[in-house]
């Protein structure tokens, strides 16, 4: 199976239990998530999201429970919707028939936090427990605004999902800035995940390599050297 840049995409693929033909078809679907930013279209994103929900890994159970892969897929979809808020009710109507009971849809709308999310939530048939928990669920913006050092891998996944949904260079630059700021820090696991994910994505997607190239030009020489050293250390270790 081909190596994928996304931590959450690797998680998705690694846990699939299907025939080789089914696996190839599903991986082709998954591969559309990290490249969506090249041709963003909220209808295409909705269609892809629906197709992914029908795969064995994500077969909708409406439980409101989220594995790592499912969590990140929903973050990606929420960020697509956040950047296209006018599509909220269209997504709501389409997904109501796909997610029954509708607890998962409630989570998606809460993640997206668009102006019409509340309108959709009022229409959903969800459990009392889920409805009571919604105020505790942060929006996708809260995930991306939070400090990486506090949220760790969850924050990294949210930043990558957000970039794939929007193509906004700021999400990638935040990961690079974390690497520079914490190169000598005491969180080697998060630093390692950040370095690996950035290096892997740069290798696979020239757009990301170009973003980092431009970002380096904005850094003082000493910080530019730190970032390059951190990325070079991965190549040395291989």
């Amino acid at each position: 199976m081909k190596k994928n840049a996304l931590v959450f995409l690797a998680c998705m693929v690694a846990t699939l239990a299907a025939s080789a033909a089914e696996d190839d078809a599903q991986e082709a679907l998954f591969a559309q998530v990290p490249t969506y930013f090249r041709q963003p279209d909220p209808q295409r994103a909705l269609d892809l999201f629906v197709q992914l929900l029908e795969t064995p890994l994500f077969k909708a159970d409406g439980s409101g429970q989220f594995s790592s892969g499912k969590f990140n897929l929903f973050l990606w979809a929420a960020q697509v919707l956040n950047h296209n808020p006018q599509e909220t009710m269209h997504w709501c109507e389409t997904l109501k028939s796909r997610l029954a009971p509708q607890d998962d849809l409630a989570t998606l709308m809460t993640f997206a936090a668009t102006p019409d999310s509340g309108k959709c939530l009022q229409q959903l048939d969800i459990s009392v427990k889920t409805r009571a928990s919604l105020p505790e669920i942060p929006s996708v913006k809260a995930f991306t605004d939070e400090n990486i050092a506090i949220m760790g891998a969850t924050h990294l996944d949210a930043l990558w999902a957000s970039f794939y949904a929007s193509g906004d260079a700021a999400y990638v630059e935040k990961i690079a800035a974390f690497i520079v700021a914490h190169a000598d820090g005491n969180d080697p696991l998060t630093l390692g995940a950040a370095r690996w994910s950035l290096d892997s994505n740069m290798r696979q997607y020239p757009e990301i390599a170009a973003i980092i190239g431009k970002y380096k030009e904005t850094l003082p020489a000493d910080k530019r050297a730190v970032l390059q050293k951190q990325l070079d250390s991965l190549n040395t270790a291989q």
Side-chain angles (χ1 to χ4, degrees):
M1 184 179 294
K2 296 185 287 295
K3 181 177 180 181
N4 295 285
L6 285 75
V7 174
F8 72 87
L9 183 56
C11 175
M12 295 179 196
V13 176
T15 54
L16 287 173
S19 68
E22 290 173 334
D23 185 71
D24 288 345
Q26 289 168 128
E27 187 174 352
L29 283 177
F30 297 145
Q32 293 181 50
V33 173
T35 57
Y36 168 81
F37 71 92
R38 290 174 173 167
Q39 293 180 305
D41 177 349
Q43 182 59 52
R44 184 167 72 87
L46 176 58
D47 293 341
L48 176 59
F49 185 60
V50 169
Q51 290 178 326
L52 287 168
L53 291 176
E54 293 300 317
T55 62
L57 182 60
F58 296 120
K59 191 68 174 178
D61 58 11
S63 66
Q65 301 300 310
F66 282 73
S67 64
S68 176
K70 183 178 177 182
F71 173 77
N72 286 288
L73 174 65
F74 272 62
L75 283 180
W76 170 80
Q79 193 65 280
V80 170
L81 198 53
N82 188 267
H83 281 76
N84 299 275
Q86 74 282 358
E87 298 293 325
T88 299
M89 295 312 297
H90 172 55
W91 279 48
C92 183
E93 291 300 321
T94 300
L95 294 172
K96 279 195 297 186
S97 63
R98 298 282 184 169
L99 297 171
Q102 298 163 346
D103 297 61
D104 284 355
L105 179 52
T107 300
L108 175 64
M109 287 295 159
T110 305
F111 277 158
T114 69
D116 284 333
S117 285
K119 182 179 178 180
C120 177
L121 288 169
Q122 291 175 358
Q123 301 178 10
L124 301 185
D125 178 17
I126 60 179
S127 69
V128 173
K129 180 180 179 181
T130 293
R131 194 170 293 279
S133 70
L134 293 180
E136 301 175 7
I137 298 176
S139 68
V140 69
K141 186 177 186 302
F143 275 109
T144 55
D145 285 350
E146 187 56 85
N147 191 308
I148 297 176
I150 295 175
M151 297 189 70
T154 298
H155 187 98
L156 288 173
D157 287 349
L159 288 171
W160 283 119
S162 296
F163 174 78
Y164 299 138
S166 67
D168 188 338
Y171 298 120
V172 177
E173 291 171 355
K174 188 168 185 177
I175 295 173
F178 172 83
I179 293 172
V180 172
H182 295 267
D184 298 321
N186 58 0
D187 188 2
L189 291 179
T190 304
L191 176 62
R195 289 189 308 170
W196 175 83
S197 67
L198 183 58
D199 179 73
S200 181
N201 276 276
M202 288 174 63
R203 290 174 182 277
Q204 296 190 69
Y205 309 115
E207 299 93 337
I208 296 175
I211 288 171
I212 294 301
K214 291 180 180 179
Y215 177 71
K216 287 179 181 177
E217 295 174 2
T218 70
L219 296 175
D222 57 337
K223 292 186 177 181
R224 190 184 316 132
V226 169
L227 178 57
Q228 191 60 54
K229 181 179 179 181
Q230 288 294 312
L231 293 174
D232 287 345
S233 67
L234 291 171
N235 300 326
T236 301
Q238 292 175 353

